[in-house]
Amino acid sequence: MTHFRLALILPLCLSLLTACNQQPATETTTAADTTAATTPGQTDTTVLNKKPDWWKETVVYQLYPRSFQDSNGDGVGDLKGISQRLDYLKSLGVGTVWLNPIYASPNDDNGYDISDYRQIMPEFGTMADFDALLKGLHQRGIKLVMDLVVNHSSDEHAWFKSARSSRTSPYRDYYYWWPAEKGTPPARYSTFDVKKNAWQYDSLTNSYYLHIFSKKQPDLNWNNPKLRQEVHNIMRFWLDKGIDGFRMDAFQFVAKDPTFPPMPGLTEQNFANAYNHGPHLHDYLQEINREVLSHYNVMTVAEGAGRNLTEAHLFVDPTRKELDMTYHFEGTGVGSNSDTYKLTDLKRVFTKWDSAFAQKGWQGLDLGNHDQPRMVSKFGDDSPAFRAPSAKLLNTFLLTMRGTPYCYSGDELGMTNINFTTIADYRDVAALNGYQLLKSQGGNQAAYLKSLRRFSRDNSRTPFQWDTTAHAGFTTGTPWLKVNPNYLTVNEAVEDQDPTSVLNHFRQAMRVRQQHPVLVYGQYQLLDAANPHIYAYTRTQGAEKVLVVLNFSSEKRSWPVPTTIKLNGKAWLNNYPTLPAGSVLQLAPWQALVMPL
Ligand code: NOJ
Ligand code: CA
């Protein structure tokens, strides 16, 4: 692969966030394996417990605070803005909100570069605003999960300022340094760096420091027990305020060999895998569990699930006492770096991961997040004719799979990619630094922009579309990132009034999931695995069985119902007015059916 192609692709697919998806072929599971994994009718043992784990039954709404609601006209979403919209969140039926980082930050990576873990970013408000938000959520029965970003801090954190000032600083060992008199450090790659170099020379102490994300995100040294205790105390600080859990950012990368041995074979393509699961990773997690988490009834979710199913289990096997669940990158990774994707790949990936947790452990499910394009633009069809049915289908899929669904804010409306045409419209460090790198290498800027239109993270970060007023009701000022012009039709106010909207379909799907534990716990069995257009599966728990049929295409399709399945004319969910019947179902484009059997 040429440098140019790397420059084009790496910043876009965020290799650190996606490259850990490669599974050894030996772990590929077929539908038949899935069937073998659990006997039909067998239930997860949790169902038999008196008190099920709340985090298995909840649906998580991932909320990007910068883009949700601005309350003071500065163009940036904030905590008071979220508090103004709590009744909306309640109306969705979601049980948990995961907030992307709201801590003090210079915003090199939109809050994933934290300068004070116990302060609220002034743009987002005050600690009083946070306390009010937490109270308001809890009053409505909604839990709050916060991002925990401790693979790295900001270079503007007091720890780093002190650490870089002198080699004898008490905070020096909170970070990784390579003294320049030892020569150039062994190669390490970085995902956001304009030169892809994870070592930044710092003249103040004539040393290099390590940053596997941007140079404003120096990596924290987890080999240092003092640093680990600092993190434990930060966690306790927020848990004692009453929050309900953490999403652990980039956690699979925290463990490193501090001697930085040469890594032969390390390349720009494989470095994420190479950094994964360093020494003592699971010791650190067990220590966190023992010291902190075991004292609270909260949930934890790891971003990323290791390189394979075995590693994923190490995070979430309950007997190991580490984390509660993990979500894999392989689902959102399907179709990355190409204009299309194969439905059979999507089925294979979700089926494989379901089977991995059929007996033990638990996983999160998502089709989009703040690091991905909009799910309807990627996995559906965002043209005016099919945006709504395909968004409904994707929400149906997420809410009828086994695991905890993570719904990314705006997907309940069917929000789409924005199609920026100039680099000046982008705000994401990945897009901007990737552009610098490309320019320095004389790469093809038009091709880069085309690729950004499809894959940039800013696609999912555009402001939430509330109504038809200026800037979609997000702000009275100038929004920090442009509003998608389709807000005049795709917005909460209009959709709320339309019983057939994507929004009201989402609410209905949420009710169906809450009313039917079979959709949470039931055994999943893939049907018709090779069908390139139809994704069909059953969910079974005890005597209850449900058939889900999803036409993943913008064409009408017919689907012969397996002879073992008897339909009874009932549907819990249908995104069209008519319910197909007979032994061969005639499905409308993007039709999504959930039928009790
Ligand atoms: C993963 C987060 O989801 C992403 O947004 C961020 O850029 C990196 N971790 C670095 O914190
Ligand atoms: Ca604001």
Side-chain angles (χ1 to χ4, degrees):
M1 190 177 276
T2 63
H3 278 296
F4 158 64
R5 283 186 62 206
L6 278 171
L8 178 64
I9 290 165
L10 277 180
L12 305 179
C13 74
L14 292 169
S15 67
L16 270 185
L17 310 177
T18 56
C20 330
N21 299 335
Q22 315 311 326
Q23 309 298 327
T26 49
E27 294 212 36
T28 302
T29 314
T30 62
D33 297 333
T34 313
T35 316
T38 322
T39 335
Q42 184 179 349
T43 58
D44 185 300
T45 47
T46 317
V47 187
L48 306 173
N49 292 344
K50 282 204 186 87
K51 206 171 163 215
D53 296 317
W54 64 266
W55 40 268
K56 290 185 177 170
E57 299 187 357
T58 197
V59 171
V60 179
Y61 184 81
Q62 185 197 341
L63 194 156
Y64 202 67
R66 205 170 184 79
S67 302
F68 195 60
Q69 177 68 66
D70 176 20
S71 71
N72 63 353
D74 67 356
V76 174
D78 47 54
L79 300 184
K80 277 196 173 128
I82 302 171
S83 285
Q84 287 166 8
R85 298 293 188 175
L86 291 178
D87 289 336
Y88 171 70
L89 297 177
K90 178 77 185 157
S91 81
L92 297 176
V94 295
T96 303
V97 164
W98 152 28
L99 273 188
N100 288 101
I102 56 166
Y103 315 95
S105 164
N107 274 316
D108 186 55
D109 186 17
N110 283 4
Y112 282 95
D113 46 319
I114 296 170
S115 52
D116 189 332
Y117 289 92
R118 291 181 178 80
Q119 295 289 329
I120 302 295
M121 189 190 302
E123 272 181 312
F124 286 173
T126 63
M127 194 57 87
D129 296 337
F130 174 80
D131 293 338
L133 171 59
L134 180 61
K135 192 168 165 204
L137 284 165
H138 282 173
Q139 279 168 346
R140 287 164 181 80
I142 302 174
K143 295 184 186 286
L144 178 65
V145 165
M146 306 263 287
D147 235 299
L148 183 69
V149 188
V150 287
N151 172 71
H152 45 271
S153 72
S154 163
D155 66 339
E156 297 184 32
H157 194 291
W159 297 336
F160 190 76
K161 286 187 188 164
S162 169
R164 87 189 314 178
S165 70
S166 146
R167 290 192 182 189
T168 56
S169 156
Y171 293 98
R172 185 75 171 176
D173 288 342
Y174 278 36
Y175 298 89
Y176 292 109
W177 299 93
W178 184 272
E181 61 271 18
K182 280 172 69 182
T184 312
R188 292 293 186 272
Y189 292 102
S190 148
T191 191
F192 297 153
D193 187 67
V194 289
K195 291 188 181 138
K196 292 276 152 222
N197 187 353
W199 290 107
Q200 175 68 30
Y201 177 70
D202 201 37
S203 60
L204 281 179
T205 57
N206 190 33
S207 305
Y208 297 83
Y209 67 85
L210 184 81
H211 64 91
I212 65 176
F213 291 94
S214 93
K215 67 177 181 188
K216 287 188 66 61
Q217 295 170 295
D219 281 46
L220 289 164
N221 177 4
W222 277 71
N223 292 284
N224 181 348
K226 274 197 199 145
L227 180 274
R228 301 205 301 275
Q229 280 161 20
E230 296 267 15
V231 172
H232 299 165
N233 286 335
I234 289 164
M235 294 177 81
R236 290 186 193 108
F237 173 84
W238 291 101
L239 291 168
D240 289 341
K241 277 187 163 289
I243 70 158
D244 303 286
F246 290 109
R247 175 262 191 190
M248 320 276 282
D249 182 74
F251 208 86
Q252 64 273 42
F253 302 128
V254 303
K256 290 158 191 112
D257 178 345
T259 65
F260 293 102
M263 294 177 103
L266 190 74
T267 67
E268 290 187 56
Q269 289 94 324
N270 69 11
F271 70 97
N273 264 340
Y275 296 168
N276 225 305
H277 281 245
H280 304 300
L281 174 65
H282 292 284
D283 298 335
Y284 300 153
L285 282 169
Q286 283 166 15
E287 184 181 59
I288 286 178
N289 193 300
R290 200 171 53 243
E291 295 292 321
V292 185
L293 297 171
S294 58
H295 304 284
Y296 301 85
N297 177 22
V298 294
M299 71 165 247
T300 45
V301 54
E303 186 209 14
R307 288 163 293 200
N308 52 51
L309 304 179
T310 309
E311 283 186 354
H313 264 286
L314 298 178
F315 286 101
V316 297
D317 176 344
T319 60
R320 291 172 56 84
K321 298 197 177 356
E322 297 191 11
L323 303 177
D324 296 318
M325 65 179 127
T326 176
Y327 58 89
H328 61 84
F329 295 138
E330 254 194 300
T332 50
V334 169
S336 288
N337 301 329
S338 73
D339 284 344
T340 55
Y341 72 99
K342 281 191 189 156
L343 179 63
T344 45
D345 286 342
L346 197 75
K347 293 197 239 187
R348 180 180 45 75
V349 164
F350 275 90
T351 302
K352 178 179 77 178
W353 281 90
D354 177 84
S355 82
F357 296 101
Q359 304 290 350
K360 209 163 46 166
W362 195 253
Q363 63 167 339
L365 304 159
D366 76 326
L367 285 174
N369 57 49
H370 66 293
D371 292 329
Q372 297 291 331
R374 280 285 171 191
M375 76 173 183
V376 69
S377 299
K378 182 163 181 200
F379 295 112
D381 178 341
D382 64 6
S383 68
F386 299 117
R387 182 196 64 84
S390 64
K392 291 175 192 172
L393 175 142
L394 295 169
N395 284 324
T396 305
F397 173 65
L398 264 186
L399 293 170
T400 57
M401 289 291 285
R402 174 163 53 187
T404 298
Y406 285 67
C407 301
Y408 183 64
S409 179
D411 284 347
E412 76 275 23
L413 305 178
M415 281 177 59
T416 66
N417 282 357
I418 186 160
N419 287 325
F420 287 143
T421 50
T422 153
I423 193 70
D425 283 334
Y426 289 93
R427 297 287 175 271
D428 179 17
V429 64
L432 300 177
N433 286 3
Y435 189 70
Q436 290 307 320
L437 176 61
L438 179 95
K439 275 210 314 194
S440 70
Q441 295 175 338
N444 181 335
Q445 295 179 32
Y448 183 79
L449 284 173
K450 180 166 177 267
S451 187
L452 280 181
R453 278 201 288 283
R454 187 153 175 82
F455 297 113
S456 166
R457 307 196 292 182
D458 279 336
N459 279 310
S460 57
R461 299 176 179 185
T462 61
F464 194 90
Q465 294 163 206
W466 290 104
D467 55 39
T468 56
T469 64
H471 309 306
F474 164 69
T475 181
T476 53
T478 306
W480 72 277
L481 182 66
K482 280 185 181 165
V483 172
N484 194 314
N486 68 10
Y487 77 93
L488 291 170
T489 49
V490 182
N491 67 68
E492 190 272 333
V494 165
E495 294 196 31
D496 185 58
Q497 295 305 307
D498 173 2
T500 69
S501 66
V502 180
L503 174 60
N504 281 317
H505 177 271
F506 178 85
R507 289 174 170 142
Q508 194 193 352
M510 285 291 302
R511 284 192 293 272
V512 166
R513 184 170 178 100
Q514 274 146 12
Q515 285 159 10
H516 300 288
V518 61
L519 295 176
V520 178
Y521 296 110
Q523 181 225 351
Y524 158 96
Q525 187 176 0
L526 178 66
L527 306 172
D528 199 2
N531 191 315
H533 306 296
I534 307 294
Y535 193 161
Y537 49 93
T538 53
R539 304 289 313 277
T540 308
Q541 186 190 26
E544 198 163 26
K545 188 163 185 164
V546 184
L547 172 68
V548 180
V549 185
L550 309 169
N551 175 9
F552 268 80
S553 77
S554 303
E555 316 279 331
K556 291 181 191 165
R557 303 275 171 198
S558 53
W559 188 66
V561 182
T563 48
T564 49
I565 290 180
K566 297 279 165 272
L567 299 179
N568 57 20
K570 290 188 196 148
W572 288 343
L573 281 173
N574 176 6
N575 58 350
Y576 277 84
T578 326
L579 182 64
S583 57
V584 179
L585 298 182
Q586 303 300 331
L587 299 164
W590 299 100
Q591 188 153 21
L593 302 169
V594 180
M595 299 177 287
L597 300 175

PDB file of all heavy atoms in Angstrom, residues 70-78 123, ligand 2:
ATOM      1  N   ASP A  70     -27.881  23.415  22.657  1.00  0.00           N
ATOM      2  CA  ASP A  70     -27.179  24.582  23.201  1.00  0.00           C
ATOM      3  C   ASP A  70     -28.190  25.425  23.982  1.00  0.00           C
ATOM      4  O   ASP A  70     -29.270  25.735  23.476  1.00  0.00           O
ATOM      5  CB  ASP A  70     -26.593  25.385  22.028  1.00  0.00           C
ATOM      6  CG  ASP A  70     -25.927  26.667  22.490  1.00  0.00           C
ATOM      7  OD1 ASP A  70     -25.578  26.762  23.689  1.00  0.00           O
ATOM      8  OD2 ASP A  70     -25.752  27.561  21.637  1.00  0.00           O
ATOM      9  N   SER A  71     -27.842  25.798  25.225  1.00  0.00           N
ATOM     10  CA  SER A  71     -28.813  26.572  26.024  1.00  0.00           C
ATOM     11  C   SER A  71     -28.469  28.061  26.095  1.00  0.00           C
ATOM     12  O   SER A  71     -29.269  28.854  26.554  1.00  0.00           O
ATOM     13  CB  SER A  71     -28.880  26.016  27.455  1.00  0.00           C
ATOM     14  OG  SER A  71     -27.694  26.332  28.160  1.00  0.00           O
ATOM     15  N   ASN A  72     -27.253  28.449  25.656  1.00  0.00           N
ATOM     16  CA  ASN A  72     -26.869  29.853  25.851  1.00  0.00           C
ATOM     17  C   ASN A  72     -26.406  30.564  24.586  1.00  0.00           C
ATOM     18  O   ASN A  72     -25.796  31.629  24.650  1.00  0.00           O
ATOM     19  CB  ASN A  72     -25.787  29.959  26.934  1.00  0.00           C
ATOM     20  CG  ASN A  72     -24.508  29.228  26.525  1.00  0.00           C
ATOM     21  OD1 ASN A  72     -24.493  28.547  25.505  1.00  0.00           O
ATOM     22  ND2 ASN A  72     -23.456  29.396  27.296  1.00  0.00           N
ATOM     23  N   GLY A  73     -26.660  29.969  23.440  1.00  0.00           N
ATOM     24  CA  GLY A  73     -26.415  30.673  22.176  1.00  0.00           C
ATOM     25  C   GLY A  73     -24.954  30.761  21.755  1.00  0.00           C
ATOM     26  O   GLY A  73     -24.635  31.497  20.827  1.00  0.00           O
ATOM     27  N   ASP A  74     -24.055  29.990  22.403  1.00  0.00           N
ATOM     28  CA  ASP A  74     -22.655  30.052  21.953  1.00  0.00           C
ATOM     29  C   ASP A  74     -22.355  29.018  20.872  1.00  0.00           C
ATOM     30  O   ASP A  74     -21.209  28.870  20.447  1.00  0.00           O
ATOM     31  CB  ASP A  74     -21.680  29.907  23.138  1.00  0.00           C
ATOM     32  CG  ASP A  74     -21.731  28.516  23.769  1.00  0.00           C
ATOM     33  OD1 ASP A  74     -22.574  27.683  23.353  1.00  0.00           O
ATOM     34  OD2 ASP A  74     -20.933  28.259  24.690  1.00  0.00           O
ATOM     35  N   GLY A  75     -23.370  28.298  20.442  1.00  0.00           N
ATOM     36  CA  GLY A  75     -23.177  27.363  19.331  1.00  0.00           C
ATOM     37  C   GLY A  75     -22.676  25.993  19.749  1.00  0.00           C
ATOM     38  O   GLY A  75     -22.444  25.121  18.907  1.00  0.00           O
ATOM     39  N   VAL A  76     -22.508  25.811  21.071  1.00  0.00           N
ATOM     40  CA  VAL A  76     -21.988  24.539  21.584  1.00  0.00           C
ATOM     41  C   VAL A  76     -23.029  23.935  22.523  1.00  0.00           C
ATOM     42  O   VAL A  76     -23.516  24.605  23.437  1.00  0.00           O
ATOM     43  CB  VAL A  76     -20.662  24.780  22.353  1.00  0.00           C
ATOM     44  CG1 VAL A  76     -20.175  23.494  23.010  1.00  0.00           C
ATOM     45  CG2 VAL A  76     -19.601  25.333  21.420  1.00  0.00           C
ATOM     46  N   GLY A  77     -23.355  22.689  22.311  1.00  0.00           N
ATOM     47  CA  GLY A  77     -24.289  22.017  23.215  1.00  0.00           C
ATOM     48  C   GLY A  77     -23.736  22.020  24.629  1.00  0.00           C
ATOM     49  O   GLY A  77     -22.524  22.104  24.836  1.00  0.00           O
ATOM     50  N   ASP A  78     -24.610  21.917  25.620  1.00  0.00           N
ATOM     51  CA  ASP A  78     -24.146  22.010  27.005  1.00  0.00           C
ATOM     52  C   ASP A  78     -25.076  21.230  27.937  1.00  0.00           C
ATOM     53  O   ASP A  78     -26.109  20.704  27.514  1.00  0.00           O
ATOM     54  CB  ASP A  78     -24.021  23.484  27.426  1.00  0.00           C
ATOM     55  CG  ASP A  78     -25.249  24.296  27.027  1.00  0.00           C
ATOM     56  OD1 ASP A  78     -26.366  23.890  27.389  1.00  0.00           O
ATOM     57  OD2 ASP A  78     -25.097  25.319  26.319  1.00  0.00           O
ATOM     58  N   GLU A 123     -17.290  25.221  28.700  1.00  0.00           N
ATOM     59  CA  GLU A 123     -18.268  25.360  27.600  1.00  0.00           C
ATOM     60  C   GLU A 123     -19.538  24.556  27.878  1.00  0.00           C
ATOM     61  O   GLU A 123     -20.609  24.879  27.385  1.00  0.00           O
ATOM     62  CB  GLU A 123     -17.664  24.809  26.306  1.00  0.00           C
ATOM     63  CG  GLU A 123     -16.877  25.798  25.496  1.00  0.00           C
ATOM     64  CD  GLU A 123     -16.351  25.141  24.224  1.00  0.00           C
ATOM     65  OE1 GLU A 123     -15.778  24.031  24.320  1.00  0.00           O
ATOM     66  OE2 GLU A 123     -16.516  25.736  23.150  1.00  0.00           O
TER      67      GLU A 123
HETATM   68 CA    CA B   2     -23.720  26.367  24.942  1.00  0.00          CA
END
